[in-house]
Amino acid sequence: MMKVDALPIRVLVTKIGLDGHDRGSRIVAAYLRDAGMEVIYTPPWQTIPGVVKLATEEDVDVIGISSLATDHLIVPKMMDALRTTGLGHVRVIVGGIVPDEEKAALLAAGVSRIFGPGAGREEIVDCVAALGQQSRAARSDEFSEATP
Amino acid sequence: MTRTAIQLPLPGFEQAQGEWRAQYARQIGDEKATRNRSGIEIQPLYSPRDWNGERYLEDLGFPGQFPFTRGIYPTMHRGRTWTQRQLIGLGTPEDYNRRVRRIIDAGATAISLLPCCSGFRGIDCDEVDPVLLGTCGTVINTTDHMDSALDGVPIGEISTAMNDPSPFTLLAFTLGVARRRGIDWRSVTGTSNQSDYISHFIANHQFYRLSLPGSRRVLLDHIEFCRRHVPNWNPVSVVGQHMQQAGATPAETMGFTLSTAIQYAEDCIARGMDIDDVLRRFTFFFDISISLFEEVAKFRAGRRIWARIARDRLGAKDPACWRFKFHGQTSGVDLTQQQPLNNIARVSIQAIAGILSGLQSLHTDAYDEAIACPSEETARVAVATQNILRDEARLCDVIDPLGGSYYVERLTDQMEAEIEGVIAKIDAAGGMYKAAEAGLVQTMIGESALAFQEQVDTGARKIVGVNCYQIEEDPTVPPAERPDAEAMLRHVERFKAFKGERSQREVARALDALARAANSTDENVFEKVVEATEAGVTHGEVVSCLRRELGFGHPLIVA
């Protein structure tokens, strides 16, 4: 049987809220795909319950939320929804335009990393790969706690 | 169309050129080809062998003369400078009103209104997480909201651009306000600034609002209604901006946009409209990137191609229909989060490109655009940039000042050939509607976006502060402005109360009439939108009714 760790990292790249600009999310999706990850990509305008459902069904390790026009303001609500659905191990990154003074609230809500415009390909790919491993480690911890 | 250089009788030319080439090669050594964003190879030098004015009258002519390469009016910016049309929209209608009045007091002759993203999405403010409301546009869902937003604004005297895709409720609200104030609709001027549903489908995800055929129907009804009742309104603005922002090259953008204009014109003809009647009201809206000469060539070539399309392909006889009128917006994609004050330089260069291209109207981005929605201070710098370029740098003194440059004329010819190649590709796919439906355009844009990013990632294309000249920096940008949360909640509460208090019978009757119009072949849907909004029907209710009757859109292609 194949070890779980050997399977490619699964990433959901999506946009929640009201903003339709998706050039950034498409490019990041292509980066991750080209780096050998399995990317589930959605068009913009997803809802929080929709993202949680998709993350569950697709069994993703990392969720990337792209936001150009202030949609990052509802990311803390998405983090709550992930936790209450048992997806606390899933790592979340936010990419796009997040004003400096609004970054702290996202990080405090559990977002692992925020990438601004101009972030490089390697930086993003390395970060997602590392977070994917963390996510799997956190999930197996949860699993071993749940099954004595 | 490709042109070959004419051999001029210039004694000694070949020898002198040969000597220069040898010297150049000695000093430079092996040189990699330089290409512009559209992929055209750029030479180190241009001479009369590249362009010599042989076809001056056919290809350039004089400003105001066919094919309008040098400008669509005889006097251009000497007679009247461009309209400063800053895109604004933030917070509640009252917030918008305060800002727009300051702009009018400062001498603005045109205003622009950007609705909240929830409006773009086709829903009302009571259906959205309040934290998202009014952060990127004004929350306008009813005629009352528009009345507050335009309080003290002399509609009928001032031109208003409504950034509002199908079904154009913002114009419907404005007409309702005009009626309340006793203003003749015939004096209402402005533009349905994002009426180009194809560009929304391709690059801005309009698909969630209304289906592709539904949007087509509503746009045609909108054009027909405006021609009959609001004759000074421009119902069509063909938007290249979305596509270039999404990654299309400048040449692709111009090709797609002209193909879209052809599609709309042919749709109007198929509807039985008089082409001379509708085409004069077509306007264009473009991104201006920092690739200065390429942008100038894009716009000069675009004017020339459109003149020929309008006259020869579409058969318009009135010269007013041959004129390519365009609004330019400096490109936010070129702006960086790193060292944000550098963006003032970038916006200036983009604005220079647009002004030297002979645009009719200009929006300059604020330097914090890559960080947040513009603050009042950064918006002021953006407007001042235009004033400095006009009054201090005096860019308006000469019409088409780059005309006659060997490089610019040669590049204009090359861009023309590239653009015509794109139009031919779209024609072969059955026109822009079919090409969008098939995903062809989206694929081309996606490939160009990736190719550009590849150049940035490898450093082949340098961006100051991003992949070169990085510095340790302090954030120098003021904090993002957000609407007052309590005022926004009060606005939503008032809206809910309004919905409870209006005549439900009238609302039901108006929505029924709208649904019946959508299902009929002879009734005008936009006329019913106007009537419905006057009966108190909200933006979200209009959209959901039409979505039910005309179909919900779907993403045409993903990834």
Side-chain angles (χ1 to χ4, degrees):
Chain A
M1 196 176 123
M2 204 173 179
K3 272 183 65 189
V4 170
D5 285 355
L7 295 172
I9 302 285
R10 292 175 67 77
V11 190
L12 170 60
V13 178
T14 188
K15 286 174 72 76
I16 49 178
L18 301 168
D19 165 41
H21 298 91
D22 68 344
R23 180 178 179 164
S25 62
R26 279 169 190 252
I27 285 175
V28 167
Y31 282 174
L32 302 177
R33 181 196 62 205
D34 293 350
M37 299 183 202
E38 283 179 4
V39 178
I40 296 100
Y41 179 85
T42 80
W45 287 333
Q46 304 300 312
T47 61
I48 289 174
V51 167
V52 172
K53 184 162 180 278
L54 198 56
T56 310
E57 287 171 358
E58 295 288 348
D59 192 21
V60 298
D61 306 300
V62 180
I63 301 176
I65 298 290
S66 169
S67 167
L68 182 88
T70 67
D71 288 342
H72 63 275
L73 296 172
I74 56 169
V75 169
K77 287 177 188 163
M78 191 190 78
M79 302 304 293
D80 284 343
L82 287 175
R83 267 188 296 273
T84 55
T85 327
L87 294 180
H89 61 278
V90 173
R91 298 298 190 252
V92 174
I93 61 169
V94 172
I97 295 178
V98 179
D100 282 344
E101 68 275 14
E102 290 171 0
K103 284 180 178 155
L106 300 194
L107 297 172
V111 168
S112 299
R113 182 79 184 266
I114 300 167
F115 287 101
R121 172 197 285 254
E122 263 177 53
E123 203 186 350
I124 294 171
V125 169
D126 290 350
C127 172
V128 174
L131 289 173
Q133 296 305 336
Q134 275 184 29
S135 168
R136 287 180 180 185
R139 179 165 51 179
S140 49
D141 288 350
E142 277 170 30
F143 186 73
S144 49
E145 275 166 31
T147 51
Chain B
M1 160 183 337
T2 44
R3 297 181 181 81
T4 45
I6 308 274
Q7 295 297 309
L8 279 187
L10 280 175
F13 183 94
E14 308 305 335
Q15 195 194 338
Q17 190 185 44
E19 280 169 20
W20 165 76
R21 263 201 195 121
Q23 286 168 337
Y24 180 85
R26 250 197 321 277
Q27 291 186 20
I28 280 256
D30 273 344
E31 197 179 17
K32 267 201 287 182
T34 301
R35 292 182 185 277
N36 67 12
R37 291 184 177 193
S38 298
I40 294 168
E41 189 173 338
I42 304 299
Q43 305 168 30
L45 183 79
Y46 291 80
S47 75
R49 285 285 183 265
D50 299 295
W51 187 82
N52 55 36
E54 183 85 1
R55 285 171 49 88
Y56 181 86
L57 286 177
E58 294 94 318
D59 290 342
L60 271 68
F62 286 90
Q65 292 177 9
F66 193 90
F68 306 102
T69 308
R70 309 203 66 185
I72 57 171
Y73 302 119
T75 60
M76 288 307 288
H77 294 156
R78 265 243 179 167
R80 182 169 167 267
T81 56
W82 63 92
T83 307
Q84 298 189 356
R85 203 188 275 281
Q86 292 300 107
L87 197 58
I88 50 168
L90 190 80
T92 63
E94 292 74 22
D95 293 331
Y96 175 84
N97 187 255
R98 271 191 293 278
R99 205 172 263 201
V100 88
R101 276 183 184 225
R102 270 200 291 274
I103 286 182
I104 292 169
D105 290 346
T109 55
I111 59 166
S112 162
L113 172 57
L114 181 70
C116 171
C117 290
S118 59
F120 255 99
R121 177 74 173 76
I123 49 186
D124 286 332
C125 59
D126 58 345
E127 299 173 66
V128 179
D129 192 315
V131 77
L132 297 178
L133 286 173
T135 53
C136 280
T138 308
V139 183
I140 292 186
N141 299 152
T142 64
T143 308
D144 285 349
H145 291 169
M146 187 63 90
D147 210 350
S148 305
L150 298 180
D151 185 27
V153 174
I155 44 172
E157 292 165 37
I158 203 158
S159 156
T160 53
M162 295 292 172
N163 293 277
D164 185 27
S166 169
F168 316 109
T169 51
L170 290 185
L171 176 61
F173 297 146
T174 306
L175 294 176
V177 172
R179 182 164 277 166
R180 283 180 190 181
R181 297 182 191 173
I183 294 163
D184 187 350
W185 285 0
R186 306 185 75 81
S187 68
V188 176
T189 64
T191 305
S192 292
N193 208 12
Q194 308 226 12
S195 54
D196 175 357
Y197 67 90
I198 290 180
S199 83
H200 278 281
F201 261 86
I202 289 167
N204 222 9
H205 303 289
Q206 173 67 0
F207 51 76
Y208 276 95
R209 196 143 142 177
L210 211 55
S211 65
L212 194 62
S215 305
R216 183 189 217 169
R217 160 80 190 278
V218 179
L219 174 63
L220 288 169
D221 283 2
H222 181 67
I223 296 170
E224 222 161 30
F225 180 91
C226 290
R227 294 305 302 135
R228 240 181 291 141
H229 303 290
V230 204
N232 288 309
W233 188 264
N234 299 320
V236 180
S237 110
V238 194
V239 186
Q241 196 246 7
H242 297 146
M243 301 194 247
Q244 197 162 320
Q245 291 267 305
T249 68
E252 283 174 336
T253 297
M254 184 57 78
F256 294 147
T257 309
L258 293 176
S259 289
T260 306
I262 292 168
Q263 180 76 61
Y264 295 157
E266 286 177 346
D267 284 355
C268 288
I269 294 169
R271 262 286 189 103
M273 294 185 224
D274 175 7
I275 192 68
D276 277 288
D277 197 29
V278 292
L279 220 51
R280 80 182 73 229
R281 288 277 161 210
F282 274 43
T283 64
F284 295 88
F285 172 13
F286 284 97
D287 214 35
I288 313 164
S289 81
I290 200 161
S291 184
L292 190 148
F293 292 104
E294 186 175 2
E295 290 294 342
V296 170
K298 171 181 97 178
F299 290 121
R300 295 174 89 250
R303 269 199 295 265
R304 182 149 89 202
I305 302 171
W306 177 246
R308 290 179 178 143
I309 288 171
R311 188 186 71 177
D312 305 334
R313 179 166 173 172
L314 301 171
K317 290 178 188 64
D318 184 345
C321 299
W322 306 337
R323 294 191 179 116
F324 178 85
K325 289 179 286 197
F326 75 99
H327 167 77
Q329 175 168 356
T330 60
S331 173
V333 171
D334 292 333
L335 305 187
T336 65
Q337 184 193 35
Q338 295 79 2
Q339 307 172 41
L341 288 170
N342 291 348
N343 291 331
I344 298 176
R346 294 191 177 98
V347 169
S348 304
I349 294 163
Q350 296 164 336
I352 291 168
I355 294 164
L356 298 185
S357 301
L359 47 65
Q360 276 60 61
S361 154
L362 174 63
H363 165 100
T364 34
D365 283 330
Y367 66 82
D368 56 352
E369 196 95 3
I371 298 148
C373 280
S375 68
E376 192 147 352
E377 168 68 9
T378 60
R380 188 193 61 72
V381 173
V383 174
T385 303
Q386 295 192 28
N387 296 337
I388 290 165
L389 294 176
R390 185 190 56 233
D391 299 333
E392 297 183 28
R394 300 192 63 89
L395 293 192
C396 299
D397 284 355
V398 171
I399 302 167
D400 187 31
L402 298 182
S405 146
Y406 304 127
Y407 171 37
V408 170
E409 295 300 352
R410 170 79 176 146
L411 188 59
T412 301
D413 289 350
Q414 288 176 303
M415 287 292 279
E416 181 181 7
E418 288 286 322
I419 294 162
E420 288 189 329
V422 174
I423 296 174
K425 206 177 263 186
I426 300 299
D427 282 345
M432 198 62 180
Y433 186 92
K434 289 223 165 88
E437 203 173 30
L440 168 69
V441 186
Q442 296 89 315
T443 307
M444 287 170 75
I445 291 175
E447 282 166 4
S448 294
L450 267 178
F452 182 84
Q453 194 60 41
E454 192 72 37
Q455 292 174 1
V456 175
D457 288 343
T458 58
R461 195 169 287 278
K462 289 195 168 71
I463 299 178
V464 173
V466 173
N467 61 7
C468 58
Y469 308 108
Q470 284 124 324
I471 54 166
E472 286 294 318
E473 52 181 318
D474 288 332
T476 44
V477 169
E481 283 182 15
R482 293 276 181 253
D484 180 71
E486 288 196 5
M488 189 55 76
L489 286 178
R490 278 199 303 276
H491 181 64
V492 176
E493 287 310 315
R494 275 201 305 274
F495 174 71
K496 285 182 186 163
F498 162 83
K499 285 209 299 189
E501 287 157 11
R502 63 198 169 155
S503 161
Q504 307 306 334
R505 258 187 61 206
E506 284 298 304
V507 167
R509 205 199 313 250
L511 282 172
D512 186 48
L514 180 61
R516 272 188 287 115
N519 286 300
S520 78
T521 48
D522 55 346
E523 283 189 86
N524 188 303
V525 171
F526 186 66
E527 185 179 312
K528 300 299 167 197
V529 171
V530 174
E531 287 171 14
T533 56
E534 288 196 10
V537 176
T538 70
H539 167 72
E541 290 166 340
V542 167
V543 176
S544 64
C545 171
L546 288 177
R547 201 184 262 159
R548 216 165 32 239
E549 306 304 329
L550 295 174
F552 188 83
H554 297 283
L556 297 175
I557 189 170
V558 172

